[in-house]
């Protein structure tokens, strides 16, 4: 059928290009994170870099990044309306109804750049967290991360996080401000 490897390769690339054009023309098909979901996350999240130094858009020497996302009804609605929301975020939103009074739910994503041992006692959401504030079963989490590993889990904040507030979040001494939009 194909006289050379080059002809076969060209045909395969042509099929992929045609499929990409077809998907791009379909209404409502997106290949990235939903815009509304991304906007909500941006308005109620923060990311710190453990042992890293941020220089503009560059991060130097970080062992891992720790991202904190406030899980509330606004995020739940955006996740429900998103076409392909991240599964780990869907799992955290499902815990929203079991949050006790006086607390808020925070989704945490740890992404290791170098081998990293996660110590729950070093997590900070307003103040240092204790293990009893963990909402994810320990057997569903990674505590010893190799380069490239990710661990996703939910924690309760020690107090309620209100819209329009600023909360210190981070790991150990690496703290950043999480500004929650109104």
């Amino acid at each position: 059928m194909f006289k050379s490897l080059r002809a076969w390769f060209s045909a395969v690339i042509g099929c992929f290009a045609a499929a990409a054009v077809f998907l791009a023309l379909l209404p409502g098909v997106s290949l990235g994170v939903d815009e509304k979901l991304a906007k909500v996350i941006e308005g109620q999240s923060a990311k710190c870099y453990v042992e890293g130094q941020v220089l503009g858009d560059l991060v130097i020497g970080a062992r891992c990044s720790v991202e904190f996302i406030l899980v509330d009804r606004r995020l739940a609605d955006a996740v429900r309306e998103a076409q392909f929301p991240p599964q780990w975020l869907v799992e955290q939103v499902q815990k929203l109804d079991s949050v006790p009074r006086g607390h808020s739910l925070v989704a945490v994503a740890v992404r290791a750049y170098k081998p990293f041992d996660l110590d729950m006692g070093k997590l900070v959401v307003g103040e240092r967290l204790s293990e009893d504030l963990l909402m994810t079963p320990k057997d569903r989490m990674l505590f010893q991360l190799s380069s490239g590993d990710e661990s996703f889990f939910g924690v309760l904040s020690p107090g309620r996080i209100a819209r329009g507030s600023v909360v210190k979040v981070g790991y150990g001494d690496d703290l950043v401000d999480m500004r929650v939009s109104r």
Side-chain angles (χ1 to χ4, degrees), residues 5-182:
L5 182 59
R6 178 180 237 164
W8 177 83
F9 189 68
S10 294
V12 170
I13 295 298
C15 288
F16 281 118
V21 169
F22 176 73
L23 287 174
L25 294 176
L26 287 175
V29 172
S30 84
L31 299 176
V33 174
D34 184 84
E35 286 182 38
K36 180 180 178 186
L37 178 58
K39 186 175 180 181
V40 170
I41 290 173
E42 182 181 325
Q44 53 197 58
S45 68
K47 185 184 286 190
C48 78
Y49 296 93
V50 177
E51 298 176 15
Q53 184 175 9
V54 179
L55 299 170
D57 290 341
L58 295 174
V59 179
I60 299 172
R63 297 191 70 71
C64 70
S65 67
V66 184
E67 184 175 11
F68 299 85
I69 303 171
L70 176 63
V71 179
D72 60 4
R73 293 287 169 212
R74 182 180 357 184
L75 180 69
D77 291 343
V79 165
R80 187 174 37 261
E81 293 171 9
Q83 197 165 28
F84 301 107
Q87 184 59 37
W88 71 272
L89 203 51
V90 171
E91 291 172 7
Q92 301 313 313
V93 166
Q94 291 171 349
K95 299 173 185 168
L96 196 54
D97 290 331
S98 60
V99 174
R101 286 185 180 261
H103 297 277
S104 293
L105 178 60
V106 178
V108 181
V110 179
R111 294 176 176 93
Y113 305 130
K114 300 176 183 175
F116 180 72
D117 290 335
L118 178 63
D119 178 356
M120 292 301 297
K122 291 185 177 182
L123 279 175
V124 175
V125 177
E127 59 187 69
R128 289 208 186 257
L129 300 180
S130 58
E131 285 194 21
D132 61 324
L133 295 174
L134 188 61
M135 291 287 288
T136 301
K138 285 185 173 183
D139 62 343
R140 296 197 58 213
M141 294 174 54
L142 285 178
F143 289 95
Q144 294 180 329
L145 291 87
S146 299
S147 298
D149 285 348
E150 299 176 322
S151 186
F152 304 105
F153 52 93
V155 296
L156 293 172
S157 63
R160 187 103 181 112
I161 299 174
R163 289 185 178 175
S165 64
V166 177
V167 179
K168 286 282 186 199
V169 296
Y171 187 87
D173 295 328
D174 298 301
L175 303 175
V176 295
D177 289 335
M178 179 172 70
R179 300 179 188 283
V180 181
S181 63
R182 290 198 172 270

